Amino acid sequence: AMAEAAARGRLLRWPRVLLLGDSITEHSFQENGWGAYLADRLVRKCDVVNHGVSGYNTRWAKLILPRLITGSANADSIVAVTIFFGANDSALKDLNPKQHVPLEEYAANLKSMIQYLKSVDVTEDRIILITPPPLQESAWEKACLAKGDKLNRCNATTGQYAQACVQVARECGTDVLDLWTLMQKNQDFSSYLSDGLHLSAKGSSFLAAQLWSRLDEKLSALPSLLPYWRDVDHTNPEASLL
């Protein structure tokens, strides 16, 4: 029967949502994570693929992107991509030269990632940029001191990167989720962060809800894959399933 299905060329292709980003994306499949929430909401409609790489900035991400997504054959099933960088790029140059990327280069890198995606037929209407979240300096300073480091980021600087991210989205015609601004609307944003930098369960569910409102519009029309089990003809399952 498998040969039969293959012969008919009926390969069942699950559409894909790709999550690109740093540790905040890499950790998003943890319990109560925002990626796990999306995967659960989209089960049987889409594969949610986590390509988050902890500690990475846009300079490194731009280099690996063509290795993650190649020519159109691979891209035609991609229904949405999130690009969520800036928490590392915005690290202070003097205190964290390894991860820091200058503001102008950060913007240029985001643009070139969007350009690359468009070159493999992932159009701008399927791309969502996410700004870095705000930084809670006292909590992050504690985390730095515990590793023998000085405070190596500051919220005002992160805000400049968030602004640049919003600007790139405007210029390139992609969607954007300005997490930096949204999280600070509620005066005290510390509960959204686990250590001043990474998201807590509350921050994760905040991001998930914000993202879902944007993805739901894009993906609501996607069918549920494979028939509901009660609708399968049990006397002749091939008729329903192949």
Side-chain angles (χ1 to χ4, degrees):
M2 279 184 79
E4 224 177 291
R8 296 189 217 171
R10 302 278 310 275
L11 177 67
L12 192 58
R13 294 198 66 157
W14 246 249
R16 289 175 300 153
V17 174
L18 296 190
L19 312 181
L20 307 174
D22 51 36
S23 57
I24 304 174
T25 299
E26 183 176 321
H27 300 158
S28 71
F29 275 28
Q30 288 174 354
E31 195 176 354
N32 301 317
W34 59 273
Y37 172 90
L38 294 180
D40 185 49
R41 294 295 291 260
L42 291 168
V43 79
R44 243 173 113 171
K45 293 191 164 192
C46 281
D47 283 336
V48 178
V49 182
N50 185 344
H51 282 321
V53 270
S54 181
Y56 276 50
N57 55 32
T58 55
R59 184 182 290 164
W60 303 347
K62 183 180 82 164
L63 294 176
I64 59 166
L65 183 58
R67 300 181 60 200
L68 297 175
I69 306 166
T70 52
S72 322
N74 176 337
D76 64 357
S77 62
I78 297 172
V79 288
V81 179
T82 58
I83 302 178
F84 188 5
F85 288 98
N88 299 317
D89 299 68
S90 62
L92 304 172
K93 185 183 180 188
D94 300 341
L95 293 160
N96 188 347
K98 190 161 183 179
Q99 290 177 299
H100 168 82
V101 169
L103 188 59
E104 292 70 31
E105 191 200 327
Y106 167 72
N109 290 342
L110 286 177
K111 275 187 197 164
S112 88
M113 288 170 79
I114 293 167
Q115 240 57 67
Y116 176 75
L117 288 170
K118 286 170 69 174
S119 79
V120 292
D121 299 332
V122 179
T123 47
E124 56 269 48
D125 56 311
R126 287 182 269 168
I127 301 170
I128 303 173
L129 299 190
I130 306 174
T131 75
L135 183 85
Q136 220 271 319
E137 289 167 21
S138 55
W140 184 242
E141 185 168 28
K142 252 185 218 152
C144 290
L145 291 171
K147 293 183 218 144
D149 297 329
K150 292 193 173 109
L151 176 65
N152 57 16
R153 287 166 169 79
C154 87
N155 193 38
T157 304
T158 303
Q160 295 176 336
Y161 284 71
Q163 224 174 337
C165 180
V166 171
Q167 190 55 39
V168 167
R170 224 173 261 146
E171 288 169 23
C172 296
T174 69
D175 211 336
V176 65
L177 204 163
D178 185 358
L179 206 52
W180 191 83
T181 300
L182 288 167
M183 281 188 166
Q184 291 182 95
K185 281 208 170 124
N186 161 9
Q187 272 3 81
D188 179 25
F189 60 89
S190 58
S191 63
Y192 288 136
L193 305 166
S194 60
D195 55 5
L197 176 70
H198 300 94
L199 301 180
S200 61
K202 186 182 173 191
S204 227
S205 79
F206 179 83
L207 172 53
Q210 294 288 338
L211 255 183
W212 184 250
S213 67
R214 289 162 168 77
L215 281 173
D216 197 21
E217 292 165 30
K218 296 185 202 299
L219 309 180
S220 54
L222 288 175
S224 194
L225 294 163
L226 292 169
Y228 177 54
W229 72 273
R230 288 189 190 277
D231 298 334
V232 174
D233 177 355
H234 67 285
T235 60
N236 180 12
E238 288 81 358
S240 307
L241 301 177
L242 294 183

